[in-house]
């Protein structure tokens, strides 16, 4: 028995180490290239360790006013979008968790149906345009305000809250809204943190909605700016670009520096919500 457990542990460790290496390698490589001297990058001599520390690319990125404008737009979209999504999703999930709600099964099946079939991109675009949401902040946060999977996950979590707590709240004179705010929310911090993280990451990495609904460059988030930079580099015939005034800038170094600047902030959020993440996801997936 000990030999089997030992063999499983060894194989499992090897597989997990492989996953870690595959996951971290792109970030380490991009960081090394973005910190290396241009001459080493152009020669292809940079691997996992930077050669000749050079912070010029990061200076160029942070000196570009478009980066700061895109940062501001992204933060606004993430904060506002996450807040709206969590509120709407949690309210809908709480309603669906109530077995005594009228047409409970029909509405649940109707919502689950949208996980497999949807109206599509063009009908959604026409709806957004007809509502006057084009080139507005609301066009970025409202079309994707509710994710069906997150709604079902939250509903399952709420279903695990003891019925006796709600009954005691009713005895004290609470309405359904009072129960939601005074009992459900305080007991559901784990799932709220988990779902908020899901929405925040999705909003931070989203570039399809801006491409569809934004025409004003002043409203573009970081991901669109990054996409434009990467595409501009991919169609260029040379290995250097004229960005940065009279100085020639290596395209890969500039792109990787921009990617690191736009990716690290959202990655730094994970340690603060990690203690809620597993608990919220697992309880929401098991109970109910």
């Amino acid at each position: 028995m000990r030999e089997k457990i030992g063999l499983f542990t060894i194989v499992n460790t090897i597989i997990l180490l492989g996953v870690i290496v595959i996951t971290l390698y792109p970030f380490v490589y991009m960081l090394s290239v973005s910190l290396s001297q241009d001459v080493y990058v152009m020669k292809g001599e940079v691997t996992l360790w930077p050669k000749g520390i050079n912070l010029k690319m990061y200076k160029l990125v942070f000196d570009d006013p478009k980066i700061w404008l895109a940062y501001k737009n992204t933060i606004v979209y993430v904060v506002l979008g996450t807040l709206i999504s969590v509120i709407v999703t949690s309210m809908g999930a709480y309603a669906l968790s109530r077995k005594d709600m009228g047409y409970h099964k029909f509405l649940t099946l109707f919502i689950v149906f949208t996980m497999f079939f949807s109206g599509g991109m063009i009908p959604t675009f026409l709806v957004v345009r007809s509502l006057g949401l084009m080139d507005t902040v609301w066009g970025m946060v409202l079309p994707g305000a509710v994710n069906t999977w997150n709604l079902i996950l939250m509903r399952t979590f709420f279903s695990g809250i003891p019925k006796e707590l709600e009954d005691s709240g009713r005895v004290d004179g609470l309405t359904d809204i009072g129960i939601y705010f005074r009992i459900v929310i305080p007991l559901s911090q784990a799932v709220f943190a988990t779902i908020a993280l899901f929405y925040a990451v999705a909003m931070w990495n989203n570039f399809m909605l801006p491409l569809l609904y934004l025409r004003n460059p002043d409203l573009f988030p970081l991901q669109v700016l990054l996409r434009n930079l990467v595409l501009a580099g991919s169609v260029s015939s040379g290995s250097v670009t004229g960005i940065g005034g009279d100085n020639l800038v290596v395209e890969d170094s500039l792109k990787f520096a921009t990617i690191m600047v736009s990716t690290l902030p959202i990655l730094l959020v994970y340690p603060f919500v990690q203690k809620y993440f597993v608990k919220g996801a697992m309880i929401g997936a098991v109970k109910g």
Side-chain angles (χ1 to χ4, degrees), residues 245-260:
D246 297 332
N247 300 319
L248 291 178
V249 177
V250 179
E251 289 173 352
D252 284 346
S253 298
L254 181 62
K255 287 189 293 186
F256 292 162
T258 309
I259 291 173
M260 296 303 296

Side-chain angles (χ1 to χ4, degrees), residues 7-263:
L7 179 61
F8 172 79
T9 302
I10 294 174
V11 174
N12 192 36
T13 302
I14 294 175
I15 294 175
L16 291 179
L17 287 176
V19 172
I20 293 174
V21 171
I22 294 174
T23 303
L24 290 182
Y25 174 77
F27 292 97
V28 175
Y29 176 73
M30 288 189 295
L31 182 62
S32 299
V33 172
S34 64
L35 292 174
S36 299
Q37 293 285 350
D38 297 345
V39 60
Y40 298 112
V41 176
M42 296 180 66
K43 290 181 180 180
E45 297 180 358
V46 180
T47 54
L48 296 179
W49 192 259
K51 287 193 173 183
I53 300 299
N54 176 25
L55 300 177
K56 180 179 68 174
M57 297 304 166
Y58 288 94
K59 185 177 184 301
L60 289 174
V61 170
F62 286 115
D63 286 344
D64 190 345
K66 293 185 295 184
I67 294 291
W68 292 107
L69 180 60
Y71 248 114
K72 185 198 75 172
N73 293 335
T74 300
I75 292 174
V76 170
Y77 299 150
V78 170
V79 173
L80 183 60
T82 302
L83 182 63
I84 292 176
S85 296
V86 170
I87 291 175
V88 175
T89 302
S90 62
M91 288 185 172
Y94 175 64
L96 290 178
S97 68
R98 298 294 304 275
K99 303 296 183 181
D100 55 344
M101 184 184 71
Y103 306 103
H104 172 267
K105 292 185 178 180
F106 171 77
L107 291 175
T108 302
L109 293 175
F110 189 78
I111 292 174
V112 172
F113 180 82
T114 63
M115 294 180 64
F116 307 99
F117 303 95
S118 64
M121 181 185 300
I122 295 178
T124 304
F125 175 84
L126 294 176
V127 171
V128 171
R129 188 178 66 176
S130 65
L131 293 175
L133 300 179
M134 299 290 292
D135 259 342
T136 65
V137 175
W138 304 112
M140 290 295 301
V141 300
L142 293 182
V146 178
N147 179 277
T148 306
W149 171 254
N150 294 338
L151 179 66
I152 298 301
L153 187 67
M154 229 171 189
R155 178 199 66 88
T156 308
F157 186 96
F158 291 158
S159 298
I161 296 178
K163 183 70 174 176
E164 292 76 13
L165 291 177
E166 296 185 10
D167 294 337
S168 64
R170 294 189 184 282
V171 172
D172 293 335
L174 293 179
T175 62
D176 289 333
I177 297 179
I179 292 174
Y180 169 77
F181 281 104
R182 298 197 176 195
I183 296 179
V184 174
I185 292 181
L187 294 175
S188 307
Q189 293 182 5
V191 74
F192 270 90
T194 302
I195 299 302
L197 178 64
F198 288 164
Y199 279 122
V201 172
M203 186 63 68
W204 185 279
N205 294 327
N206 184 25
F207 71 94
M208 280 301 298
L209 290 184
L211 292 179
L212 289 174
Y213 305 138
L214 297 182
R215 299 294 180 267
N216 185 0
D218 292 338
L219 296 175
F220 285 168
L222 268 174
Q223 299 305 322
V224 172
L225 193 67
L226 178 61
R227 171 188 175 275
N228 294 339
L229 178 63
V230 172
L231 289 181
S234 64
V235 299
S236 177
S237 57
S239 60
V240 294
T241 178
I243 299 175
D246 297 332
N247 300 319
L248 291 178
V249 177
V250 179
E251 289 173 352
D252 284 346
S253 298
L254 181 62
K255 287 189 293 186
F256 292 162
T258 309
I259 291 173
M260 296 303 296
V261 168
S262 62
T263 304

